[in-house]
Amino acid sequence: MTLVLIGTPIGNLGDLSPRAVQALAAADAICCEDTRRTGRLLQHAGVERRPLVVVNDHSEDAAVAKVLARLDRGERVAVVSDAGMPGISDPGERLVQAALAAGHAVEVVPGPSAAVTAMVVSGLPAGRFVFEGFLPRKGSGRTARLAEVAAERRTALLYEAPHRLLRTLADLLDACGPDRPVAVARELTKLHEETWRGTLAAAAAWAADHPPKGEIVLVLGGAPALQPAADDDVEQAVRERLDAGDSVRDAAAAVASDLRVPRRRAYAIAQRSVDATRQGTRNRSSGSSGA
Ligand code: SAM
């Protein structure tokens, strides 16, 4: 009947909301990642133990089938993850899609999420931000994602494990340059909560000196706005293309994309350059014939 996503604390159990407790108590079954962890949460909340369905990266398909069977029987099934909001770098999304596809209701009891918590404490612009979760660990997928993150104008939120932090900061330093602002938010809401703020170069040095422990969110300032290219720069780029044999149209399209200027502007500059060259040639030839 109803699938209920419930946000749970990212460290401090005091962040479990009264509504989350009610929703856990009202559930016929609870879908969770780890029965011991959720058992402790229920004990803390004073909620009698409920039937638990385990869902993790390896068992999500099987869990979907079990949860759908319960929903079909008219049950109310709660979904929690080990910490934070289910569905955010945690199981949940497929359960929601399957429940919706089968015509069941989906509700949410919101709670903390490390990403949003780190965003607001970082001091970096929160007007527009983008959640990147964990970067791919290696290979071309990682390289491509790093390039995307580096070009991103919005503040980016990344999750990272402590033993991979140094590597990730080094890769971000390579991709974004030394001056990009960053915040490293660690152990949020817990005893050793700490938020380091500075540039990527300083962050890499700091993390090398103080290998951080615990759970970490990186909040990366967005790429600075590019200065619009000056007419002289556009003309020089266009000239090089024309000299290499490009048509006016092709030269303008390529330069528009390379220098991120409107194609119409690049075309006008390319055409002007061609006209000026033709005029120069004509003047030279009429000058020489008159000599
Ligand atoms: N569903 C969770 C949420 O809503 O934030 C995220 C789960 S994801 C598997 C775990 C990652 O979240 C950690 O590796 C870390 O990057 C981040 N995280 C979770 N709790 C955190 C905390 N208390 N402080 C900093 N980062 C945390």
Side-chain angles (χ1 to χ4, degrees):
M1 191 176 65
T2 306
L3 187 75
V4 192
L5 301 153
I6 303 178
T8 61
I10 56 170
N12 190 324
L13 287 176
D15 292 335
L16 186 69
S17 75
R19 202 157 88 84
V21 175
Q22 282 167 14
L24 287 167
D28 296 300
I30 299 172
C31 203
C32 64
E33 290 186 272
D34 182 294
T35 53
R36 272 189 303 178
R37 199 159 164 151
T38 298
R40 282 202 297 274
L41 183 77
L42 294 178
Q43 199 175 13
H44 164 83
V47 172
E48 223 174 81
R49 206 175 164 100
R50 295 268 170 285
L52 299 176
V53 179
V54 174
V55 58
N56 53 43
D57 287 346
H58 312 293
S59 69
E60 199 159 356
D61 285 340
V64 165
K66 286 185 199 160
V67 167
L68 281 183
R70 285 180 174 275
L71 294 173
D72 288 343
R73 291 205 292 273
E75 290 189 6
R76 204 173 160 78
V77 181
V79 184
V80 296
S81 66
D82 280 352
M85 285 302 290
I88 301 297
S89 292
D90 268 339
E93 187 177 312
R94 270 151 70 189
L95 286 165
V96 171
Q97 285 165 356
L100 291 175
H104 296 292
V106 177
E107 296 175 2
V108 63
V109 178
S113 185
V116 173
T117 309
M119 176 68 261
V120 295
V121 83
S122 70
L124 289 164
R128 296 182 73 199
F129 60 87
V130 55
F131 177 63
E132 288 287 341
F134 292 96
L135 289 174
R137 289 215 173 156
K138 53 188 176 187
S140 56
R142 183 173 173 92
T143 313
R145 188 72 63 82
L146 281 162
E148 274 180 38
V149 169
E152 175 59 62
R153 298 282 308 279
R154 295 167 290 184
T155 303
L157 303 168
L158 295 103
Y159 284 166
E160 194 48 284
H163 64 281
R164 301 183 58 84
L165 181 69
L166 275 178
R167 172 75 203 279
T168 292
L169 284 173
D171 286 351
L172 286 170
L173 184 60
D174 269 357
C176 308
D179 301 327
R180 186 74 70 88
V182 67
V184 184
R186 194 176 78 79
E187 294 288 86
L188 291 164
T189 77
K190 302 188 203 175
L191 187 60
H192 298 293
E193 172 171 346
E194 172 185 32
T195 300
W196 184 97
R197 302 171 183 86
T199 63
L200 266 179
W206 166 78
D209 281 352
H210 311 82
K213 296 193 185 118
E215 301 197 275
I216 291 162
V217 183
L218 289 173
V219 186
L220 184 70
L226 288 177
Q227 292 299 322
D231 276 7
D232 283 353
D233 297 331
V234 177
E235 184 164 1
Q236 188 183 335
V238 153
R239 196 66 262 164
E240 282 166 15
R241 295 242 165 210
L242 292 172
D243 290 348
D246 273 12
S247 66
V248 171
R249 182 184 295 269
D250 289 348
V255 169
S257 148
D258 288 352
L259 299 187
R260 299 198 196 168
V261 296
R263 192 184 280 230
R264 187 190 290 218
R265 180 172 161 223
Y267 188 87
I269 292 175
Q271 193 59 59
R272 214 165 54 215
S273 174
V274 169
D275 291 347
T277 310
R278 280 201 194 118
Q279 190 60 46
T281 312
R282 252 189 246 125
N283 290 347
R284 273 198 303 282
S285 51
S286 58
S288 60
S289 63

